[in-house]
C-alpha cells in the first residue's frame, strides 16, 4: 500500500517539523566530553595496590627513585610504599591525562616485582603493546627433583648465556624464578621466546634452539 | 737315308753285338750307330703317335738330352693307352697265358737291364724289339700294329727310368679272344655300366686298379697288400655273372692261375696271398669291413681314453707337471686385460714433437684455469647470536626499532665494537707496511702488548711429537705459582691450636667486613631518606 512512498513521505514530513519532538522522530544523540581518570567510577579516585615479595624488598629500596620519578612526573600518578603492608600503592590525580596511565604504572611496578630490571620495565610505560607473560615449568612438562633442576639449568645456560641469547634474538626480557618463568615483550616476540623456552624445558639441546633462533631472528630482521 | 729301315736294323744289330764295356768309353762310331738305331725306332713308332710334332728323329748335331726330349714328346701320349691295355690284360688272365712264356723271357731281359744299369740301355730293347718284330711278321696286320704298338710301349718303358709297367701283360697278347681295340671299347662300356651299379662294386674296381698299379710297381717297391688279393677275388665273384658268361664259361679256374701268375711276376706276394685267402673265405661285405674298421677305431680311442691325458687336456697344469719347454710348442691363448704398451717408433716421437712445436707456436697450452674463490653473490649477513646480557634496556631496543621503521635516516649507525677494532687493527698494519715502503728511514715495528696465558705445563706434555730439547724456561717460576707467606701446612698436619687460630682470624675478618657493610648501608639509607624528603 505505502511501500515506496511511505519513507519518503516520512522524511518529507520530518524536515519541515524542525526541532519539535514528534511521535515519529528519534531524539538527538547527546554529546559528552570524555571522562577524566579522576572522574571515572563516578568521580571517585582510583587505586592500584601491588604487593612486594620479600626478595624484591631490598632491590625496591635500591631502585625506588628510578621507579618513582617516571611514574610521578610523566604518568602523573601518585605512588607510595606502604611499608607495613608491604605494598606499593598507586592513585590517580586530578591531572592524570589518561585512564590507562594508572594501569600502565601498575603493570610497570608489577613487572619490577616479578623480577625485571627497571630499565626493562620502563618499556611497559613507554610502549603500549608490551606484555608480560608468566608460566611455570610444570605447565610444560612435569619434572621432579633432579630433572627439574637440570631443566632450569638448561634454560639459563652457562652463565645465563642461553637466556641472554634468547633475549637478544627475540627482543624480550626473561626472568626465571625457580619454576616460574616470566617473559616481557611484544606479543610476537613473547611467542617466539616461549617456544624456545618450552623446547628447552622439553629437553632439546641448546644448539638446536640456537639454530632455530637464528632463523627466526633473520626472518624478523627481514620484515623491515 | 737310302734304306732307313735296313740301316736302322743294322745299327740295332750292331749295338746288340757290342760288348758292354765298350759302351762305357765314348766312341763316335758307336754313337752314330746308336743315333741311326734310335731314328729307326722313332720312325717305326711315328704312325702310332697321333700328336707328335716331329716326322723323324733329328739327330745331326743334337745333344743326347735333345734327342731324348724328342723321344719323350713322342712317347708320352701313348703311355696311358698302354697302361689301360695292361690293366685289361690283368683282368683277363687267360689272355696272359699265351704271353706267359714271352713274359718270362721279357722279364729276364728286364732283370738284366736292372742289374747291369748301363748308360745306354738300347741293347735289350734291340733284343726284344727283334723278337717282337719277328712275331709281327708272322701274325696279321692288326696284330702287327699291335705288336708295333707294344714295341713302342716297351721302347718307351725302357727309355724311362725304372718303370717296368708293360712287362706284365703288354707282351704278345694276341689272341683270337682278345683284340686291343675291342678291349678298349669294352672297358669304356664297362665303366659306364659300373657307374650305374652299386658303389661297392665300383670301390672294388678302384681297389683292383690300385692293386694293379701296385703290382706294376712290385719289382721296384716290393710292397704287399692283402686287401688287394681279397678285393680281387671279391670283385671276381661279383662280376662273375656279367663277365665270364659273355666270354668264358670257366669260373674259379682262373683264380689260382692268376695267383700263380702274380707269384711268377713277383716273389714277395706268394706267401701273403695264402694268408689273405684264409680271411677271404669268411666272405665279408664292404659294410662289414667298414664296421670292422670302425670297431678298430673305437678300440683305439677307448685305449687312448684309459691312458692319462696329455697335459694340454688336463685342467690346471703347473710347470712341474708338464715336460720341459712344452708350453713353447703349444699355441696358448689367453685374454690380455691390459692394452699392450705402444711401441714407440720414430714416427710416433716425431708426431709428438710436431704437436708440441705446433702448440708452442700457437701458444695453446692446456693450462688449468684457476677457479676464483669469490662467490658470485654477496655473502648473506649471518646474524650472530649475542650471548651476553644486552647493555641496552628493552625500551631502548624498541625505541631503535621504532625509529628505524619510521625514520631510517635518523637511526644511529649500529656498528659492533669488535668489528671496528678489527678494522682499525688491519688498517694500522697496512699503513705501517706502506710507510715502510715509502720512507727511506727505518721505522721499527710497534710493540703490541699481548696477554697470553701461560700454562704451567712442560712442553713435553703439550706436544705429541717429542721435542729435541725440552726446556722448562717458559714454565712459571715457583714464586709465580704460589705467592704465600709463612709456613704452609696440609690439612692433616694442622694442629688443634692452629685450627682455632685460623678460625678466630676468619671471624675477625668477617666481623670487620660486616661492620663496614652496615655503615655503608646506614649511609645509603640516610641519603635516600634525605632525597625523598627533599622532593
Amino acid at each position: 500500500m505505502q511501500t515506496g512512498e511511505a519513507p519518503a513521505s516520512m522524511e518529507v514530513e520530518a524536515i519541515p517539523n524542525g526541532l519539535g519532538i514528534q511521535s515519529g522522530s528519534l531524539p538527538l544523540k547527546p554529546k559528552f566530553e570524555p571522562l577524566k581518570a579522576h572522574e571515572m567510577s563516578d568521580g571517585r579516585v582510583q587505586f592500584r595496590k601491588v604487593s612486594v615479595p620479600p626478595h624484591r624488598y631490598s632491590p625496591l629500596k635500591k631502585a625506588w627513585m628510578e621507579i618513582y620519578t617516571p611514574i610521578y612526573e610523566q604518568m602523573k600518578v601518585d605512588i607510595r610504599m606502604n611499608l607495613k603492608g608491604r605494598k606499593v600503592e598507586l592513585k590517580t590525580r586530578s591531572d592524570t591525562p589518561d585512564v590507562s596511565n594508572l594501569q600502565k604504572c601498575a603493570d610497570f611496578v608489577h613487572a619490577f616485582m616479578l623480577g625485571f630490571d627497571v630499565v626493562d620495565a620502563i618499556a611497559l610505560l613507554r610502549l603500549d603493546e608490551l606484555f608480560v607473560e608468566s608460566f611455570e615449568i610444570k605447565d610444560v612438562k612435569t619434572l621432579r627433583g633432579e630433572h627439574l633442576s637440570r631443566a632450569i639449568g638448561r634454560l639459563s645456560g652457562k652463565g645465563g648465556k642461553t637466556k641472554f641469547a634468547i633475549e637478544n634474538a627475540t627482543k624480550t626480557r626473561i626472568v626465571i624464578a625457580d619454576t616460574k618463568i616470566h617473559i616481557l615483550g611484544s606479543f610476537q616476540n613473547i611467542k617466539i621466546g616461549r617456544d624456545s623456552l618450552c623446547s628447552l624445558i622439553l629437553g632439546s639441546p641448546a644448539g638446536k634452539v640456537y639454530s632455530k633462533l637464528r632463523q627466526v631472528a633473520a626472518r624478523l630482521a627481514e620484515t623491515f | 737315308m737310302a734304306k732307313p729301315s735296313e740301316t736302322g736294323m743294322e745299327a740295332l744289330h750292331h749295338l746288340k753285338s757290342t760288348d758292354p764295356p765298350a759302351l762305357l768309353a765314348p766312341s763316335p762310331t758307336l754313337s752314330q750307330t746308336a743315333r741311326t738305331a734310335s731314328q729307326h725306332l722313332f720312325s717305326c713308332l711315328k704312325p702310332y703317335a697321333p700328336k707328335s710334332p716331329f716326322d723323324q728323329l733329328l739327330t745331326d748335331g743334337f745333344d743326347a738330352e735333345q734327342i731324348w726330349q724328342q723321344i719323350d714328346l713322342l712317347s708320352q701320349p701313348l703311355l696311358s693307352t698302354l697302361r689301360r691295355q695292361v690293366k685289361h690284360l690283368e683282368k683277363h688272365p687267360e689272355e696272359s697265358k699265351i704271353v706267359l712264356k714271352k713274359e718270362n723271357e721279357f722279364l729276364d731281359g728286364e732283370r738284366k737291364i736292372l742289374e747291369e744299369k748301363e748308360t745306354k740301355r738300347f741293347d735289350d730293347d734291340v733284343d726284344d724289339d727283334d723278337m717282337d718284330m719277328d712275331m709281327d711278321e708272322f701274325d696279321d696286320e692288326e696284330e702287327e700294329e699291335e705288336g708295333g704298338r707294344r714295341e713302342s710301349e716297351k721302347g718307351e718303358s725302357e727309355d724311362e727310368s725304372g718303370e717296368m709297367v708293360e712287362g706284365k701283360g703288354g707282351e704278345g697278347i694276341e689272341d683270337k679272344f682278345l683284340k686291343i681295340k675291342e678291349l678298349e671299347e669294352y672297358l669304356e662300356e664297362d665303366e659306364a655300366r659300373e657307374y650305374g651299379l652299386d658303389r661297392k662294386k665300383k670301390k672294388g674296381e678302384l681297389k683292383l686298379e690300385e692293386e694293379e698299379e701296385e703290382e706294376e710297381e712290385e719289382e721296384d717297391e716290393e710292397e704287399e697288400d692283402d686287401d688287394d688279393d681279397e678285393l680281387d677275388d671279391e670283385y671276381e665273384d661279383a662280376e662273375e655273372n656279367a663277365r665270364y658268361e659273355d666270354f668264358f664259361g670257366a669260373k674259379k679256374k682262373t683264380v689260382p692261375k692268376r695267383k700263380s701268375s702274380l707269384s711268377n711276376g713277383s716273389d714277395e706276394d706268394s706267401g701273403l696271398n695264402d694268408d689273405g685267402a684264409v680271411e677271404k673265405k669268411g666272405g665279408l661285405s664292404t659294410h662289414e669291413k667298414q664296421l670292422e674298421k670302425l670297431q678298430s677305431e673305437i678300440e683305439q680311442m677307448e685305449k687312448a681314453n684309459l691312458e692319462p691325458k696329455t697335459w694340454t687336456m688336463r685342467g690346471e697344469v703347473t710347470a712341474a707337471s708338464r715336460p720341459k719347454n712344452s708350453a713353447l710348442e703349444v699355441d696358448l691363448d689367453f685374454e690380455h686385460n691390459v692394452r699392450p704398451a705402444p711401441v714407440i717408433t720414430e714416427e710416433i716421437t716425431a708426431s709428438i714433437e710436431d704437436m708440441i712445436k705446433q702448440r708452442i707456436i700457437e701458444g695453446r697450452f692446456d693450462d688449468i684455469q684457476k677457479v676464483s674463490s669469490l662467490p658470485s653473490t654477496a655473502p648473506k649477513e649471518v646474524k650472530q647470536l649475542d650471548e651476553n646480557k644486552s647493555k641496552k634496556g628493552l625500551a631502548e631496543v624498541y625505541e631503535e626499532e621504532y625509529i628505524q621503521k619510521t625514520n631510517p635516516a635518523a637511526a644511529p649507525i649500529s656498528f659492533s665494537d669488535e668489528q671496528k677494532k678489527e678494522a682499525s687493527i688491519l688498517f694500522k698494519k697496512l699503513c705501517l707496511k706502506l710507510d715502510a715502503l715509502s720512507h727511506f728511514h727505518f721505522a721499527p715495528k710497534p710493540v703490541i702488548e699481548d696477554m697470553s696465558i701461560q700454562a704451567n705445563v712442560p712442553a713435553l706434555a703439550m706436544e705429541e711429537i717429542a721435542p729435541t730439547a725440552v726446556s722448562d724456561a717458559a714454565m712459571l717460576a715457583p714464586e709465580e705459582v704460589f705467592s704465600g707467606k709463612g709456613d704452609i701446612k696440609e690439612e692433616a698436619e694442622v694442629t688443634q691450636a692452629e685450627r682455632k687460630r685460623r678460625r678466630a682470624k676468619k671471624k675477625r675478618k668477617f666481623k670487620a667486613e660486616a661492620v663496614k657493610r652496615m655503615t655503608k648501608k646506614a649511609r645509603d639509607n640516610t641519603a635516600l631518606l634525605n632525597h625523598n624528603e627533599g622532593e
Side-chain angles (χ1 to χ4, degrees):
Chain A
M1 289 188 285
Q2 294 177 333
T3 48
E5 292 169 20
S9 62
M10 289 277 280
E11 279 177 42
V12 167
E13 283 175 4
I15 290 168
N17 286 335
L19 294 163
I21 296 167
Q22 282 183 5
S23 57
S25 63
L26 292 165
L28 283 172
K29 262 209 278 190
K31 275 192 181 173
F32 296 116
E33 298 292 330
L35 272 175
K36 285 200 191 123
H38 199 66
E39 292 158 4
M40 238 189 234
S41 65
D42 302 325
R44 278 186 276 145
V45 177
Q46 301 229 342
F47 286 101
R48 293 283 187 273
K49 289 187 182 139
V50 182
S51 59
V52 181
H55 66 276
R56 290 309 275 169
Y57 202 63
S58 35
L60 177 66
K61 274 204 267 187
K62 277 207 191 98
W64 177 251
M65 287 316 294
E66 287 156 32
I67 296 166
Y68 177 84
T69 316
I71 289 174
Y72 192 80
E73 275 159 28
Q74 267 111 46
M75 304 306 277
K76 310 241 187 306
V77 169
D78 282 340
I79 178 168
R80 74 167 184 201
M81 175 71 189
N82 187 348
L83 287 161
K84 201 160 157 225
R86 302 286 176 97
K87 281 190 201 332
V88 173
E89 288 165 3
L90 297 151
K91 189 169 78 121
T92 57
R93 277 208 307 255
S94 51
D95 58 343
T96 315
D98 201 11
V99 183
S100 56
N101 280 15
L102 182 64
Q103 192 54 50
K104 274 190 194 174
C105 296
D107 288 337
F108 163 59
V109 176
H110 184 68
F112 180 81
M113 294 312 153
L114 286 175
F116 289 101
D117 238 359
V118 182
V119 189
D120 299 329
I122 285 278
L124 277 167
L125 285 178
R126 293 175 71 175
L127 292 158
D128 270 346
E129 56 272 349
L130 293 185
F131 304 99
V132 177
E133 179 161 333
S134 314
F135 63 96
E136 284 191 56
I137 289 174
K138 71 179 183 207
D139 296 342
V140 181
K141 189 173 180 181
T142 319
L143 297 165
R144 276 184 282 269
E146 273 190 31
H147 305 296
L148 184 64
S149 316
R150 259 186 260 119
I152 296 165
R154 227 178 8 253
L155 284 170
S156 320
K158 192 169 189 175
K161 66 177 186 164
T162 314
K163 186 170 83 106
F164 293 139
I166 297 170
E167 283 182 1
N168 292 329
T170 59
K171 295 200 196 68
T172 56
R173 291 291 175 261
I174 299 169
V175 165
I176 302 174
D178 250 358
T179 53
K180 291 190 182 57
I181 300 162
H182 313 281
I183 309 172
L184 168 70
S186 65
F187 183 71
Q188 195 88 340
N189 297 340
I190 281 172
K191 201 159 86 144
I192 298 161
R194 190 179 62 226
D195 288 341
S196 310
L197 290 168
C198 287
S199 59
L200 279 169
I201 290 165
L202 290 168
S204 71
K208 214 176 212 177
V209 172
Y210 280 6
S211 58
K212 265 204 191 131
L213 278 175
R214 250 183 245 117
Q215 287 174 16
V216 164
R219 213 181 318 128
L220 281 174
E222 276 172 24
T223 55
F224 295 118
Chain B
M1 289 204 176
K3 290 176 189 174
S5 62
E6 282 183 4
T7 47
M9 289 302 296
E10 279 175 9
L12 286 169
H13 278 296
H14 186 237
L15 279 174
K16 183 198 168 188
S17 62
T18 53
D19 294 326
L23 288 171
L24 286 169
S27 64
T29 51
L30 205 58
S31 71
Q32 190 55 45
T33 51
R35 278 168 205 251
T36 48
S38 49
Q39 269 183 332
H40 169 67
L41 283 171
F42 194 88
S43 49
C44 290
L45 289 172
K46 180 71 186 72
Y48 305 107
K51 291 183 196 171
S52 148
F54 303 105
D55 289 336
Q56 63 171 18
L57 187 70
L58 308 166
T59 54
D60 296 333
F62 280 97
D63 205 5
E65 188 61 34
Q66 288 164 330
I67 293 164
W68 157 248
Q69 286 290 336
Q70 290 172 48
I71 293 163
D72 200 27
L73 270 172
L74 179 80
S75 62
Q76 279 291 340
L78 292 171
L79 279 172
S80 56
T81 49
L82 281 173
R83 281 210 188 91
R84 217 183 313 125
Q85 284 176 16
V86 166
K87 282 175 198 169
H88 181 73
L89 281 170
E90 284 178 347
K91 290 177 211 166
H92 305 278
E94 68 283 358
E95 292 163 14
S96 65
K97 251 198 294 184
I98 302 154
V99 298
L100 202 63
K101 293 171 197 169
K102 300 234 167 87
E103 258 187 32
N104 290 333
E105 289 173 5
F106 183 69
L107 287 169
D108 290 336
E110 286 185 345
R111 275 202 210 100
K112 272 191 198 168
I113 291 160
L114 276 175
E115 289 164 7
E116 290 170 353
K117 293 216 173 181
E118 293 172 8
T119 55
K120 295 184 181 174
R121 294 175 292 226
F122 300 115
D123 290 343
D124 292 327
D125 282 343
V126 169
D127 269 340
D128 294 328
D129 284 342
D130 282 342
M131 282 160 62
D132 285 338
M133 294 205 63
D134 293 336
M135 277 177 62
D136 285 338
E137 284 165 14
F138 293 137
D139 291 335
D140 299 336
E141 283 188 357
E142 292 179 335
E143 290 172 1
E144 213 176 35
E145 284 183 8
E146 292 166 10
R149 280 173 98 197
R150 271 178 256 120
E151 259 183 4
S152 66
E153 291 167 10
K154 270 202 42 211
E156 288 154 15
S157 73
E158 287 177 358
D159 282 341
E160 299 187 26
S161 59
E163 187 170 349
M164 311 302 164
V165 175
E166 288 74 17
K168 259 289 124 94
E171 182 62 33
I173 304 173
E174 306 107 24
D175 218 5
K176 57 185 176 199
F177 299 108
L178 177 69
K179 318 256 186 267
I180 295 294
K181 275 192 181 164
E182 281 181 20
L183 174 73
E184 278 183 34
E185 288 167 15
Y186 182 77
L187 279 170
E188 283 168 12
E189 277 176 41
D190 207 20
E191 277 174 21
R193 193 160 35 104
E194 276 185 359
Y195 278 116
L197 289 173
D198 300 323
R199 278 302 176 99
K200 76 173 183 180
K201 292 216 171 108
K202 187 193 171 199
K203 274 188 193 168
E205 195 193 21
L206 285 169
K207 295 220 169 154
L208 196 63
E209 287 175 0
E210 286 176 6
E211 181 198 1
E212 286 164 356
E213 287 177 2
E214 287 181 4
E215 284 178 6
E216 288 162 2
E217 298 168 13
E218 270 170 14
E219 290 190 350
D220 287 333
E221 296 175 355
E222 301 183 0
E223 281 183 357
E224 298 112 13
D225 206 354
D226 290 338
D227 287 341
D228 292 335
D229 293 331
E230 291 172 13
L231 286 166
D232 195 14
D233 275 335
E234 182 237 346
Y235 176 79
E236 290 291 345
D237 291 337
E239 293 297 309
E240 210 177 355
N241 297 330
R243 281 272 178 170
Y244 293 149
E245 279 178 4
D246 294 342
F247 300 103
F248 316 99
K251 287 192 181 183
K252 301 281 185 181
K253 272 195 282 185
T254 59
V255 176
K257 286 273 170 81
R258 184 144 180 140
K259 282 196 179 176
S260 66
S261 75
L262 291 170
S263 65
N264 285 332
S266 64
D267 300 329
E268 302 85 13
D269 252 357
S270 59
L272 286 166
N273 283 344
D274 294 332
D275 290 336
V278 175
E279 286 185 29
K280 273 191 230 174
K281 296 297 177 193
L284 296 165
S285 60
T286 33
H287 175 67
E288 283 169 1
K289 281 178 196 156
Q290 264 182 317
L291 280 174
E292 268 199 42
K293 213 177 170 191
L294 272 173
Q295 278 292 326
S296 63
E297 270 182 40
I298 289 165
E299 269 177 41
Q300 255 186 330
M301 284 171 125
E302 279 176 358
K303 207 168 93 174
N305 272 350
L306 287 170
E307 282 169 10
K309 296 188 209 168
T310 54
W311 72 269
T312 47
M313 287 298 139
R314 268 182 264 148
E316 290 181 1
V317 181
T318 56
S321 41
R322 57 176 166 84
K324 194 175 177 183
N325 289 339
S326 56
L328 294 169
E329 296 144 23
V330 176
D331 185 21
L332 298 168
D333 179 31
F334 46 87
E335 284 180 22
H336 299 269
N337 286 330
V338 292
R339 246 183 286 149
V343 175
I344 306 293
T345 59
E346 290 270 341
E347 291 143 12
I348 289 169
T349 48
S351 71
I352 289 167
E353 281 168 11
D354 287 339
M355 188 162 47
I356 291 165
K357 282 179 207 162
Q358 191 61 33
R359 285 284 187 97
I360 290 166
I361 290 161
E362 281 175 32
R364 179 166 73 100
F365 311 109
D366 293 333
D367 291 337
I368 300 163
Q369 303 280 345
K370 191 173 176 182
V371 179
S372 62
S373 59
L374 292 170
S376 55
T377 58
K380 213 173 151 192
E381 266 187 46
V382 180
K383 195 173 174 192
Q384 292 292 335
L385 281 175
D386 189 18
E387 284 175 353
N388 304 316
K389 189 178 165 86
S390 69
K391 293 167 192 83
K392 293 184 273 185
L394 196 66
E396 274 112 37
V397 170
Y398 279 106
E399 191 184 323
E400 278 173 20
E401 217 182 282
Y402 179 76
I403 289 165
Q404 228 177 21
K405 251 202 289 185
T406 54
N407 197 2
I413 302 156
S414 59
F415 214 88
S416 63
D417 291 333
E418 282 138 29
Q419 282 180 345
K420 249 198 231 170
K421 248 191 253 173
E422 208 185 319
S424 65
I425 287 164
L426 285 168
F427 187 65
K428 275 189 191 142
K429 274 190 192 166
L430 179 67
C431 284
L432 181 75
K433 282 186 186 157
L434 288 170
D435 290 342
L437 284 169
S438 57
H439 296 156
F440 280 113
H441 46 267
F442 171 71
K445 234 175 164 183
V447 175
I448 300 161
E449 296 203 1
D450 187 31
M451 289 203 296
S452 69
I453 299 162
Q454 285 276 14
N456 189 22
V457 154
L460 192 59
M462 287 215 278
E463 298 165 6
E464 282 168 31
I465 304 162
T468 51
V470 181
S471 73
D472 50 2
M475 272 168 36
L476 299 167
E479 55 269 17
E480 290 173 296
V481 172
F482 172 74
S483 57
K485 287 173 276 182
D487 195 17
I488 312 300
K489 279 190 172 180
E490 279 278 317
E491 280 299 316
E493 289 178 321
V494 178
T495 59
Q496 191 78 344
E498 281 265 285
R499 266 196 252 268
K500 278 193 171 171
R501 215 177 297 139
R502 276 191 189 174
R503 187 168 159 75
K505 194 174 165 188
K506 220 194 319 183
K507 274 183 121 177
R508 259 183 275 130
K509 233 201 251 177
F510 185 71
K511 268 197 185 140
E513 287 224 325
V515 165
K516 226 202 281 180
R517 246 187 288 134
M518 285 306 290
T519 52
K520 192 171 164 230
K521 259 193 194 171
R523 231 188 298 125
D524 287 340
N525 280 339
T526 50
L528 211 75
L529 281 163
N530 290 339
H531 190 77
N532 280 344
E533 281 171 18
E535 293 190 351

